[in-house]
Amino acid sequence: KAGVTQTPRYLIKTRGQQVTLSCSPISGHRSVSWYQQTPGQGLQFLFEYFSETQRNKGNFPGRFSGRQFSNSRSEMNVSTLELGDSALYLCASSLTGPGNTEAFFGQGTRLTVV
Amino acid sequence: GENVEQHPSTLSVQEGDSAVIKCTYSDSASNYFPWYKQELGKRPQLIIDIRSNVGEKKDQRIAVTLNKTAKHFSLHITETQPEDSAVYFCAARGSGYSTLTFGKGTMLLVSP
């Protein structure tokens, strides 16, 4: 079966712009989580969506937002980009939640803010 | 919330040696502990996990142990091979939450 797909793979944006990242989960998976990965900081949790509802949220500013559609695809938006937002953004899908059932990661979107 | 500490940040071993990576967690109600392997330029992939009702789990050369009293768990890799070189992340899920909190990762380098 198809894995988790993230688009685009690479993005270069200018400070102050906004960006939208997309994540298509494995068919049948209803939970999508987003993580920010930076060198030395590991994977930091942004938020998790389940059946179109945000179920959990990490400690990120309000510039980071997301949503989930009825087909479980999820988007993440970052507004007013800052240099520090440069990172690899990973999404992970699971059947019912990343702690209940195995979480499968996408290959990530590499965001560079200049 | 949950906090996960992972050590060491870098680990270099010779091929055939064993490698041990340790993690501690803060939420005593945490009940699920997965380990992910991320090769350079690739996505993290689950390699083994353990739930709080089990003390140890093995899968070929990989094993995970859990000490609930001390709130720590460890990944053990025996007979390491160059293809084991990657970044390894531990994670913990707290009871009542559906999120995973990750450690900062351990870069394992296996020299031939």
Side-chain angles (χ1 to χ4, degrees), chain A residues 59-113:
Chain A
N59 296 322
F60 277 80
R63 299 185 297 108
F64 293 81
S65 63
R67 59 178 174 170
Q68 186 179 35
F69 302 94
S70 58
N71 61 358
S72 292
R73 188 178 71 87
S74 178
E75 288 184 345
M76 188 190 102
N77 185 75
V78 187
S79 62
T80 319
L81 284 165
E82 301 177 359
L83 294 179
D85 296 333
S86 295
L88 179 67
Y89 290 88
L90 292 161
C91 74
S93 80
S94 60
L95 277 169
T96 60
N100 302 321
T101 52
E102 182 178 348
F104 295 85
F105 282 88
Q107 289 204 310
T109 294
R110 172 75 63 184
L111 172 64
T112 302
V113 182

Side-chain angles (χ1 to χ4, degrees), chain B residues 94-106:
Chain B
S95 176
Y97 301 97
S98 61
T99 61
L100 292 173
T101 301
F102 284 84
K104 293 186 177 181
T106 295

Side-chain angles (χ1 to χ4, degrees), chain A:
Chain A
K1 58 183 176 183
V4 181
T5 303
Q6 290 188 246
T7 56
R9 291 290 310 280
Y10 303 92
L11 268 177
I12 299 176
K13 290 287 186 179
T14 304
R15 276 181 300 173
Q17 287 186 314
Q18 75 167 18
V19 67
T20 299
L21 314 182
S22 178
C23 174
S24 294
I26 292 171
S27 178
H29 285 194
R30 296 165 64 188
S31 168
V32 175
S33 299
W34 287 89
Y35 296 86
Q36 182 193 66
Q37 185 175 22
T38 53
Q41 292 300 311
L43 286 81
Q44 294 183 286
F45 173 71
L46 283 155
F47 27 66
E48 186 232 356
Y49 286 86
F50 181 82
S51 293
E52 301 179 65
T53 300
Q54 186 181 88
R55 191 160 61 173
N56 290 287
K57 190 177 189 303
N59 296 322
F60 277 80
R63 299 185 297 108
F64 293 81
S65 63
R67 59 178 174 170
Q68 186 179 35
F69 302 94
S70 58
N71 61 358
S72 292
R73 188 178 71 87
S74 178
E75 288 184 345
M76 188 190 102
N77 185 75
V78 187
S79 62
T80 319
L81 284 165
E82 301 177 359
L83 294 179
D85 296 333
S86 295
L88 179 67
Y89 290 88
L90 292 161
C91 74
S93 80
S94 60
L95 277 169
T96 60
N100 302 321
T101 52
E102 182 178 348
F104 295 85
F105 282 88
Q107 289 204 310
T109 294
R110 172 75 63 184
L111 172 64
T112 302
V113 182
V114 297

Side-chain angles (χ1 to χ4, degrees), chain B residues 1 13 16 35 40 45 50 54 62-63 70 79 83-84 88 93 100 103 105-107:
Chain B
V13 300
W35 286 87
L40 188 62
Q45 291 192 299
I50 191 169
V54 175
I62 293 173
E79 301 173 18
E83 50 266 39
D84 293 330
Y88 292 80
R93 170 190 179 263
L100 292 173
T106 295
M107 179 176 290

